[in-house]
Amino acid sequence: KVKKIDRNIIDRDYQIECVNVLSKNIKNSVRDKYLIEMATGCGKTRIATALIKRLFQSNYINKVLFICDRNNLVEQAESAFNEYLGNYSNYVLRAGKYKHENQIVISTLQTFINCYNDLNSGYFDLIIIDECHRSIYGQFRKSLDFFSCVKVGLTATPCSVSQDFDNQEDKEFIRDTFKFFEIEDVGPTFSYTMEKGISEGFLIPYKTYEAKTIRTSSED
């Protein structure tokens, strides 16, 4: 039986909806890869924390890997887990030294790619990939493909294969992100845009300031 969401971790309607969508799909084994597209500042780390707690309490998982691409995101995740997941032991992976008695591993990709082969492919039940659009290339992708488990990607980057891009590199990374999560035809599992966050009062509206350098002014 799926346990209730801890409202001390998340309390906004879109956050609750996101965790419910993920939980339902994971429970019903709809697929093993999910992509969450959510604007910066809307609480992706808290959503991941609430999901992890719910799945632990529902006995769906025993071992979790939380992957980041920067040290400050590792610190952010560790702080959230220590605050809200006190009953589940976590640690930051350093120099390939695994603490197998702990339930949650937090690591940068740069550390993880050097030591993932020390584990078997079924070691993790859940892998959450923060800023996942930067984590699916070359040796990074190989380390994620190695494990047979549920994978959830988090990104603030707008994802639409049908979009027109001036930059070919942007277009390719969108396509590769969708391809990795096997959602080319269906799109993100859950999406909450910056525009919606602003309209619902969770994000502050932005202002655009245009400026010209001496060079661009002279070219005009």
Side-chain angles (χ1 to χ4, degrees):
K1 183 179 180 180
V2 178
K3 300 295 183 179
K4 292 182 179 179
I5 295 171
D6 186 342
R7 298 293 182 113
N8 292 316
I9 304 176
I10 54 175
D11 57 4
R12 298 175 182 177
D13 288 344
Y14 69 87
Q15 296 173 331
I16 301 296
E17 182 184 357
C18 180
V19 172
N20 278 331
V21 167
L22 286 170
S23 302
K24 183 179 180 180
N25 285 340
I26 292 171
K27 177 186 177 184
N28 296 327
S29 301
V30 173
R31 57 194 305 120
D32 59 6
K33 292 180 181 178
Y34 303 96
L35 179 63
I36 304 305
E37 175 196 357
M38 190 168 289
T40 299
C42 290
K44 291 189 293 296
T45 302
R46 284 203 173 206
I47 286 172
T49 305
L51 176 67
I52 290 170
K53 184 170 185 176
R54 192 183 202 187
L55 295 180
F56 267 132
Q57 291 182 330
S58 303
N59 295 318
Y60 287 165
I61 58 173
N62 291 304
K63 214 77 159 176
V64 176
L65 170 65
F66 192 90
I67 282 284
C68 309
D69 72 331
R70 300 193 304 277
N71 286 325
N72 65 311
L73 295 178
V74 166
E75 294 169 2
Q76 177 179 303
E78 184 182 23
S79 176
F81 296 164
N82 285 337
E83 182 173 359
Y84 297 110
L85 300 177
N87 293 330
Y88 306 98
S89 53
N90 75 76
Y91 69 100
V92 176
L93 181 64
R94 304 188 191 283
K97 295 180 180 179
Y98 289 99
K99 300 178 182 179
H100 298 292
E101 69 278 9
N102 288 24
Q103 295 163 286
I104 304 172
V105 183
I106 309 168
S107 178
T108 62
L109 270 169
Q110 293 80 359
T111 297
F112 192 65
I113 59 173
N114 293 318
C115 57
Y116 73 91
N117 276 320
D118 295 338
L119 306 174
N120 64 63
S121 61
Y123 187 81
F124 296 108
D125 303 300
L126 172 68
I127 296 177
I128 295 181
I129 312 150
D130 198 14
E131 303 296 347
C132 62
H133 57 278
R134 294 199 288 263
S135 313
I136 59 170
Y137 304 102
Q139 58 184 338
F140 293 157
R141 174 165 181 169
K142 187 177 180 181
S143 68
L144 298 174
D145 281 337
F146 176 79
F147 295 94
S148 177
C149 66
V150 172
K151 300 180 180 78
V152 177
L154 310 174
T155 180
T157 304
C159 292
S160 175
V161 175
S162 61
Q163 276 182 263
D164 291 326
F165 290 93
D166 295 329
N167 188 311
Q168 184 62 27
E169 186 178 356
D170 288 342
K171 188 173 182 180
E172 289 300 323
F173 110 73
I174 292 294
R175 182 174 287 111
D176 285 351
T177 302
F178 272 48
K179 187 175 181 180
F180 174 80
F181 287 98
E182 301 170 4
I183 55 171
E184 297 100 316
D185 300 326
V186 297
T189 311
F190 187 86
S191 181
Y192 190 79
T193 63
M194 179 168 58
E195 290 76 15
K196 197 166 185 180
I198 292 172
S199 68
E200 294 184 353
F202 294 115
L203 296 176
I204 297 173
Y206 60 87
K207 295 181 180 180
T208 302
Y209 178 78
E210 279 192 36
K212 290 186 177 183
T213 65
I214 294 175
R215 179 174 179 177
T216 54
S217 296
S218 63
E219 287 175 351
D220 289 343

